[in-house]
Amino acid sequence: MKQDDQGIYEYLRHHKKFPHVWCAGCGIGIVMGSLLRSIRNLELGRDDVAIISGIGCAGRMPVYMDFNTLHTTHGRALAFATGLKLARPDMEVIVVMGDGDALAIGGNHFIHAARRNIDLTAVIVNNSIYGMTGGQSSPTTPLGAFSATAPYRHIEQPFPICQLAIAAGASFVARGTVYHVTELDRLLEQAIQKRGFAVVEAVSYCYTTFGRANKMRSPVEMMRLLKENSITVQAAQKMEKLPDGAIVRGVLHNEDKPEYTELYDQIIEQAHGQPSPRKRQVRRGWA
Amino acid sequence: MTIQLLQGNHACARGALTAGCRFYAGYPITPSSEIAEIMARELPRVGGKFIQMEDEIASMAAVIGASVGGLKAMTATSGPGFSLMQENIGYAIVAEIPCVVVNVMRVGPSTGIATHPSQADVMQARWGTHGDHPIIALAPGSVLEAFELTVKAFNFAEKYRTPVLVMMDEVVGHMREKVDLPDAGSVEIVNREMPSVPPEWYEPFGNPPSDVPPLAPFGEGYRYHITGMLHDPRGFPTERLDEIQPWIERIFRKIDRHLDEICMWEEDSVEDARVLIIAYGATARSARQAIKIARARYGRKVGLLRLKTLWPFPEEAVERAAEDVQRVIVAEMNLGQMALEVERVVGRKKVVRVGRADGQMVTPEQIVDAIRAPQPQAVSLRVAVPW
Ligand SMILES: Cc1ncc(C[n+]2csc(CCOP(=O)(O)OP(=O)(O)O)c2C)c(N)n1
Ligand code: SF4
């Protein structure tokens, strides 16, 4: 198990873009390190990797990484990535999003990318809050928590990201945490290698906003919670009932099914050079 | 060359394919859906790709993604979808990504009337996305022109690294005309400039003499950053005034320097005209008929300036054509949008607005009435408007 971070130094735009924008002790940097190690371990060429993100603290990740990087609009990263992947099916396209980015404003794109089973790797940094805008509620804010827009307490149910991804049709779904870094490296490696839509929920924390609003003021304290509250898939399977707030880590779903860009290549093969098929006559509705 | 009976939407799709479009992402909406259906059928035949996205926000995003991957890319929609695309049209402007957006205009606001024409999105084309920005918008007036201006739209997009809007009204989109489309070989096609320097020197948002930096597709060895944030010549976010200022100036200058090429119009019977009609799209067809009637029946000297480019606004052409006339009539299927620009340009000269917003075409009679009205300031709008 390699943990030498010297090897990922070359993947950083170190002389151009540091220091980074994140609060000292934020988990996002840990996810970035994990992602870089997994790319290195898979020996992917830097020119063959595209990192696409939306808007938010997590969305700032690509600027520091020396690949083809596209920082898009809030929530739309997967839709941009879909276009790029269709144009360059040979490229490894990795999409990094915050929980709000992926599931609130981008929720529709998320389920449809999963449904199409297009070969993208979606990394969702779940810190249960809108970090960048100052700690407002997100679709993963737990019931009863406090946030800048839930000053009395949050009264909405959080999205179970992984279940949502499985139900929507993703090929590979896994959850890791920023405490269990080596495991996160392995999960990301598997996700990147998967042909099809692969989701990794990287459970992180935002001590600056969520922590402050919920009486957890230090990164260390929040890290400890990740350690104490999480269990492996294997352990979870043996339990009759999961404890409240348990974070189940590991590969939750892994299935082989037809991938979108491969299917489209078959369409091209079928249509290429053929006469145009007769337009199917359908009754026309208007709207 | 074969003579065919084609719809405007069909000609638009053919123009896109001829221009080298190899990617289409869209969401069905009347009256533009034929374009998507044709592209779904034709793109794979030439090795291109079509995808029906989950909405128009995603469609615009996918178009940009594909263009970043090196493909010529487009989408087509109508008012409600055009509204949803605005956010990422702004992204394409800031990130300088070539792409083409066709809006087959129907009556709005909101769902409006799906099957009835309008030209009421022309100001949205100019200012629909937030922030100061330049934009190119073209307005075809016939089926043949739907083909020609779609080709032009791709050429401008590639040459100037910008989104280009084709603002086609429903009448042109659905009208059928006999056309003789040029062969692919005889049409001028422009492709984006690729960098000729090694990757270490490449500045994707630099300041070359042409004002349009070359654009390397992703995956070709030029690893760089693209963002919707204001950025430095390498593409990294910046708040430094000495980096932002030159960038803002350049994205306007790259268009403004080429108004001679971008601004297109056509004049008809203007030599002796005392009254000038300014119109675009299908409304210009009514104007032509109105001129015939006014000249033959009433002996009025009337001419037409038909705009093929709406944005940047062809100021010089309007100024020149309006110089010696007594009255300018702006006819459009809205309640006076481009008329505002004409008023700005012709100064104190009286500008008469002829328009409607009820999903019907501006008729030749409506324009003839305006030509014959004793008081030039009369406004001929088919709705009760309080001014
Ligand atoms: C269309 C749009 N709406 C709102 C915003 C403001 N905004 C920026 S980041 C953000 C939320 C970020 O939260 P999340 O995605 O969870 O990422 P985090 O910052 O926590 O990593 C919002 C609402 C925006 N940039 N664009
Ligand atoms: S605000 Fe929160 S999520 Fe954003 S960098 Fe700071 S700790 Fe991290």
Side-chain angles (χ1 to χ4, degrees):
Chain A
M1 255 189 257
K2 282 185 273 181
Q3 263 296 346
D4 59 315
D5 281 358
Q6 282 308 314
I8 60 171
Y9 189 67
E10 60 170 307
Y11 291 114
L12 292 173
R13 288 170 168 155
H14 41 86
H15 36 255
K16 286 181 202 137
K17 278 295 133 203
F18 285 82
H20 58 66
V21 295
W22 301 311
C23 309
C26 174
I28 293 174
I30 299 174
V31 180
M32 181 166 85
S34 219
L35 189 54
L36 290 175
R37 276 188 301 278
S38 61
I39 291 171
R40 187 216 32 204
N41 293 347
L42 294 173
E43 296 175 357
L44 301 177
R46 279 184 293 179
D47 291 324
D48 303 328
V49 176
I51 313 270
I52 304 192
S53 72
I55 301 289
C57 293
R60 289 298 187 95
M61 205 186 280
V63 80
Y64 308 112
M65 304 164 83
D66 193 12
F67 301 99
N68 303 277
T69 55
L70 183 65
H71 179 219
T72 70
T73 43
H74 192 27
R76 319 297 174 203
L78 283 168
F80 280 77
T82 298
L84 177 64
K85 184 69 190 181
L86 277 163
R88 306 292 301 218
D90 52 317
M91 286 185 86
E92 206 56 70
V93 181
I94 301 169
V95 183
V96 182
M97 298 167 285
D99 42 277
D101 201 36
L103 297 159
I105 192 162
N108 201 30
H109 310 309
F110 180 65
I111 55 176
H112 286 279
R115 178 180 62 81
R116 283 186 198 105
N117 193 34
I118 184 161
D119 184 26
L120 302 172
T121 304
V123 183
I124 302 176
V125 183
N126 183 5
N127 57 11
S128 315
I129 201 84
Y130 284 8
M132 176 143 277
T133 41
Q136 300 83 3
S137 297
S138 99
T140 56
T141 301
L143 189 70
F146 294 92
S147 81
T149 45
Y152 300 104
R153 73 185 146 40
H154 192 57
I155 54 170
E156 297 176 19
Q157 303 284 333
F159 256 141
I161 299 178
C162 291
Q163 277 99 310
L164 185 65
I166 295 167
S171 284
F172 179 92
V173 179
R175 188 188 288 117
T177 84
V178 294
Y179 179 80
H180 308 85
V181 178
T182 317
E183 181 186 71
L184 188 59
D185 292 5
R186 298 291 102 79
L187 295 175
L188 287 167
E189 278 166 31
Q190 277 179 271
I192 293 169
Q193 276 178 300
K194 184 76 191 179
R195 281 298 291 166
F197 192 68
V199 178
V200 176
E201 176 186 356
V203 183
S204 183
Y205 53 81
C206 172
Y207 70 97
T208 308
T209 69
F210 187 87
R212 195 174 294 170
N214 292 281
K215 300 206 170 64
M216 292 175 284
R217 282 169 199 276
S218 81
V220 177
E221 202 177 330
M222 298 190 84
M223 274 279 192
R224 191 178 301 127
L225 283 174
L226 293 181
K227 181 185 171 193
E228 287 165 4
N229 288 348
S230 71
I231 51 168
T232 61
V233 182
Q234 291 77 8
Q237 275 160 356
K238 291 188 196 120
M239 291 175 146
E240 240 163 55
K241 193 178 172 292
L242 288 177
D244 271 356
I247 302 166
V248 180
R249 302 174 347 246
V251 178
L252 306 177
H253 183 75
N254 193 355
E255 175 190 2
D256 289 321
K257 51 180 158 185
E259 188 275 327
Y260 187 87
T261 60
E262 280 172 7
L263 290 175
Y264 204 95
D265 284 342
Q266 290 173 18
I267 298 278
I268 291 180
E269 222 164 278
Q270 185 188 334
H272 205 88
Q274 295 297 313
S276 182
R278 273 233 320 281
K279 190 169 180 245
R280 289 186 205 289
Q281 281 305 322
V282 279
R283 195 184 63 83
R284 211 168 251 298
W286 305 107
Chain B
M1 287 222 218
T2 38
I3 295 186
Q4 326 170 51
L5 185 66
L6 282 190
Q7 212 182 35
N9 280 349
H10 198 150
C12 169
R14 291 285 298 276
L17 291 163
T18 303
C21 174
R22 289 297 175 269
F23 184 85
Y24 183 105
Y27 189 82
I29 186 166
T30 303
S32 75
S33 297
E34 293 87 358
I35 301 175
E37 290 166 12
I38 294 163
M39 295 307 264
R41 206 165 67 215
E42 298 303 322
L43 274 173
R45 295 183 60 226
V46 294
K49 291 181 177 168
F50 166 93
I51 185 168
Q52 181 172 324
M53 293 301 286
E54 51 273 20
D55 59 30
E56 289 86 348
I57 303 173
S59 304
M60 194 61 220
V63 161
I64 297 169
S67 186
V68 167
L71 298 184
K72 291 190 184 181
M74 78 177 294
T75 184
T77 187
S78 190
F82 194 53
S83 291
L84 291 186
M85 286 176 184
Q86 294 304 328
E87 179 194 30
N88 286 332
I89 290 174
Y91 184 93
I93 292 167
V94 168
E96 299 181 77
I97 307 299
C99 54
V100 172
V101 178
V102 180
N103 177 359
V104 188
M105 290 178 282
R106 68 192 224 182
V107 186
S110 190
T111 311
I113 308 175
T115 51
H116 287 203
S118 113
Q119 295 176 317
D121 304 349
V122 292
M123 272 295 166
Q124 187 184 18
R126 181 65 196 87
W127 294 117
T129 196
H130 59 279
D132 274 316
H133 58 272
I135 194 78
I136 300 177
L138 311 178
S142 68
V143 171
L144 180 61
E145 215 170 70
F147 175 92
E148 291 169 346
L149 291 192
T150 304
V151 173
K152 276 264 189 252
F154 275 95
N155 287 352
F156 289 160
E158 294 285 315
K159 185 167 177 189
Y160 301 117
R161 271 186 69 177
T162 181
V164 177
L165 314 176
V166 179
M167 304 297 288
M168 186 152 72
D169 53 74
E170 186 273 346
V171 177
V172 173
H174 277 162
M175 153 174 93
R176 281 172 206 275
E177 283 183 308
K178 210 164 63 174
V179 286
D180 188 358
L181 298 184
D183 298 326
S186 61
V187 178
E188 193 208 358
I189 306 294
V190 179
N191 296 317
R192 67 188 70 170
E193 196 192 333
M194 301 286 176
S196 53
V197 297
E200 315 81 84
W201 297 357
Y202 178 48
E203 291 197 333
F205 304 93
N207 217 339
S210 68
D211 289 326
V212 187
L215 180 61
F218 271 16
E220 299 287 326
Y222 293 86
R223 293 186 309 277
Y224 62 100
H225 189 62
I226 302 180
T227 175
M229 300 174 75
L230 298 196
H231 44 266
D232 66 18
R234 296 264 172 177
F236 296 115
T238 182
E239 292 176 9
R240 275 174 52 176
L241 295 186
D242 62 333
E243 288 174 339
I244 292 172
Q245 204 58 40
W247 177 82
I248 294 176
E249 284 168 15
R250 179 176 63 73
I251 66 158
F252 279 92
R253 199 169 56 231
K254 73 179 179 182
I255 307 287
D256 290 346
R257 254 175 71 176
H258 299 281
L259 295 183
D260 284 352
E261 185 196 8
I262 298 169
C263 290
M264 297 174 287
W265 66 88
E266 193 182 79
E267 293 174 345
D268 181 358
S269 320
V270 290
E271 297 75 22
D272 61 345
R274 311 293 302 275
V275 176
L276 177 71
I277 305 171
I278 298 179
Y280 50 93
T283 311
R285 303 169 83 99
S286 294
R288 242 182 254 122
Q289 187 63 23
I291 291 171
K292 272 195 208 136
I293 298 170
R295 283 189 177 256
R297 218 178 281 166
Y298 306 109
R300 296 295 182 97
K301 291 184 173 145
V302 190
L304 169 69
L305 176 68
R306 180 171 74 86
L307 306 181
K308 298 205 237 174
T309 302
L310 301 178
W311 306 111
F313 187 66
E315 273 181 40
E316 274 187 39
V318 170
E319 219 168 344
R320 208 167 339 107
E323 206 161 28
D324 299 322
V325 303
Q326 292 167 337
R327 195 190 307 181
V328 178
I329 295 172
V330 182
E332 47 188 344
M333 273 185 273
N334 59 51
L335 300 182
Q337 295 194 15
M338 295 311 284
L340 295 170
E341 283 296 293
V342 175
E343 281 165 8
R344 179 176 67 77
V345 168
V346 303
R348 300 216 317 231
K349 203 156 280 175
K350 206 65 221 169
V351 175
V352 181
R353 301 175 189 185
V354 177
R356 59 199 301 171
D358 54 2
Q360 303 299 316
M361 270 186 84
V362 172
T363 60
E365 294 71 33
Q366 221 185 319
I367 302 172
V368 172
D369 287 350
I371 295 168
R372 296 184 64 215
Q375 293 163 317
Q377 59 269 59
V379 174
S380 166
L381 297 170
R382 281 289 159 91
V383 287
V385 181
W387 62 72

